[in-house]
């Protein structure tokens, strides 16, 4: 059991809550399921990092942390159910009525994918989109793995790779559209995408239904 010594943070926490839930912030009323929290850790770590505010309802109302064991469950989620294990930073803040809110900070992963060890034995990577944690598609996961093995050196491009780069100059591209335009198989299309991603030339963008291929934002 950890002894929570919250620091004064009424206005600080109110400011964070005013932002609402977004790609780098999530509210949790209470913590009871380590694997469920591990999915949020994975989603933040596989994106740009983020923070959990524990003791805050979905509507932004402060309920306060009811059980100090919440910290243990969060640490368990990050260290035991995430692979590779992720480091988190925990801070407690006092708000109105001496209610405590936990701020859990999750950094961007040094190496992706960060997968969750699910109860059924599967390993799933998650990705944060707006205020949701979604399962990362297998192609994105394969691209992350390839990227971690490459040095980012620019290699000679094949015709199909030049074709894809030309297409994304105009708009985000569906994989099926690229296959049709380049007259390549799904296997070749995916190999092209993975290779260009490992060269830091393209990225993935979610449109609410599927992941599209876009140019890499270097800013």
């Amino acid at each position: 059991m950890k002894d929570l010594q919250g620091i004064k943070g009424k206005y600080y926490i109110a400011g964070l809550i005013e932002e609402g839930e977004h790609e780098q912030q999530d509210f949790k009323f209470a913590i009871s399921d380590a694997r469920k929290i591990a999915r949020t850790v994975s989603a933040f770590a596989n994106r740009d990092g983020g923070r959990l505010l524990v003791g805050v309802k979905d509507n932004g109302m402060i309920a306060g942390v009811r059980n100090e064991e919440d910290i243990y469950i969060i640490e368990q989620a990050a260290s035991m159910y995430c692979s590779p294990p992720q480091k988190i930073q925990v801070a407690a803040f006092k708000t109105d009525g001496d209610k405590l809110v936990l701020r859990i900070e999750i950094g961007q992963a040094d190496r992706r994918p960060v997968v969750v060890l699910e109860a059924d034995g599967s390993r799933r990577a998650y990705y944060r989109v707006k205020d949701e944690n979604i399962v990362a598609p297998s192609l994105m996961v394969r691209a992350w793995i390839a990227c971690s093995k490459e040095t980012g050196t620019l290699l000679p491009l094949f015709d199909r790779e030049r074709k894809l780069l030309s297409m994304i100059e105009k708009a985000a591209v569906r994989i099926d559209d690229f296959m049709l335009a380049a007259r390549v198989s799904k296997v070749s299309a995916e190999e092209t995408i993975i290779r260009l991603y490992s060269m830091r030339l393209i990225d993935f963008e979610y449109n609410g239904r599927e992941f599209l291929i876009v140019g890499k934002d270097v800013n």
Side-chain angles (χ1 to χ4, degrees), residues 33-109:
D33 188 328
R35 277 196 173 89
K36 187 174 181 179
I37 294 302
R39 294 167 191 154
T40 301
V41 174
S42 168
F44 280 142
N46 284 328
R47 188 75 191 258
D48 302 312
R51 61 176 168 263
L52 280 169
L53 295 183
V54 183
V56 179
K57 296 182 179 181
D58 288 341
N59 62 5
M61 295 296 294
I62 297 176
V65 176
R66 298 183 178 184
N67 194 332
E68 294 178 0
E69 289 298 314
D70 285 353
I71 295 179
Y72 169 75
I73 296 175
I74 294 167
E75 290 176 340
Q76 184 183 47
S79 62
M80 294 180 60
Y81 293 111
C82 287
S83 179
Q86 297 300 295
K87 294 181 179 179
I88 62 173
Q89 294 183 335
V90 182
F93 296 87
K94 287 183 180 179
T95 61
D96 284 333
D98 282 340
K99 292 178 180 177
L100 286 175
V101 171
L102 299 180
R103 184 195 66 196
I104 314 298
E105 294 186 322
I106 300 108
Q108 184 182 44

